[in-house]
Amino acid sequence: MLRSGTHPDRGGRASHVTATPRAIELTEIAAAAAADKLAQDIVAFDVSEQLAITDVFLLCSGANDRQVRAIIDEVELRLKQAGATLARREGEAEGRWVLLDYVDIVVHVQSREERVYYSLERIWKDCPVIPLPEAALAGNTGAGKPGESR
C-alpha cells in the first residue's frame, strides 16, 4: 500500500499521508464499494493534519439521486462487514449530498450538480491525496474538476 505519492492532476507535488492504517483500509473498502455502484470522480484526501475529527475525506459522485442512494447503501454494507461503525449519517432525505461519518473516515456522496457547486476538492486541495486501488478509479472521469474528462 502506498503511504505517500504524487497526483499529476493536482500539481504533482509529493505529499506525505499521515492517516492511520485503519483509515486507509476503510477508505480503500469504501472507494471500491462506491466504484462497484459506478460512482464517478472518486478521490480521497488525508485531512488528518487539518482536522481533529477524522483522518480521511472520501468524495465521489452519482449521476442522480437514485445512484447516490445505491452508492451509500453499498458503502455502508461493505464498511459494516469490515467492522466499521457508522457514527452519523446526514442528507439522506434529499439524496443529493449524503455524508457518512465513520470517525476514521467521512464519506461524501454527492450528485454531480452538488459536487460541482460545492467543489470540496478546492477546499482540501492542499491535503495529501490518498492513492486508491485501480478498481476504484475506473469510473473517474477526471480528478480535481468533477465531470471534466482527462
Side-chain angles (χ1 to χ4, degrees), residues 2-89:
L2 297 174
R3 297 288 294 166
S4 65
T6 62
H7 196 287
D9 292 334
R10 289 188 175 74
R13 184 170 56 99
S15 301
H16 182 68
V17 173
T18 58
T20 65
R22 178 65 172 163
I24 300 292
E25 174 190 12
L26 295 177
T27 299
E28 290 174 350
I29 292 167
D36 284 351
K37 293 299 177 180
L38 306 180
Q40 296 181 331
D41 300 310
I42 303 170
V43 64
F45 292 99
D46 179 344
V47 297
S48 61
E49 291 190 358
Q50 304 297 320
L51 298 174
I53 58 171
T54 193
D55 279 357
V56 177
F57 276 174
L58 178 70
L59 313 175
C60 63
S61 303
N64 53 49
D65 299 353
R66 183 183 299 178
Q67 187 182 21
V68 167
R69 287 187 178 93
I71 294 166
I72 62 166
D73 288 346
E74 189 67 18
V75 168
E76 280 189 315
L77 174 67
R78 300 264 192 95
L79 290 179
K80 183 177 181 179
Q81 291 171 342
T85 302
L86 181 63
R88 184 174 55 136
R89 181 183 206 180

Side-chain angles (χ1 to χ4, degrees), residues 34 38-43 45 57-69 71-72 75 90-91 94-100 107-124 146-147:
L38 306 180
Q40 296 181 331
D41 300 310
I42 303 170
V43 64
F45 292 99
F57 276 174
L58 178 70
L59 313 175
C60 63
S61 303
N64 53 49
D65 299 353
R66 183 183 299 178
Q67 187 182 21
V68 167
R69 287 187 178 93
I71 294 166
I72 62 166
V75 168
E90 293 183 11
E94 297 82 27
R96 300 192 51 74
W97 180 355
V98 180
L99 178 145
L100 302 173
V107 180
H108 297 266
V109 184
Q110 298 174 297
S111 68
R112 287 182 189 158
E113 296 81 18
E114 297 291 308
R115 183 83 177 263
V116 170
Y117 182 79
Y118 288 101
S119 188
L120 295 178
E121 288 89 346
R122 187 182 59 205
I123 296 169
W124 302 108

Side-chain angles (χ1 to χ4, degrees), residues 124-143:
W124 302 108
K125 70 181 178 198
D126 292 331
C127 293
V129 173
I130 297 173
L132 297 173
E134 283 299 315
L137 300 175
N140 280 3
T141 58

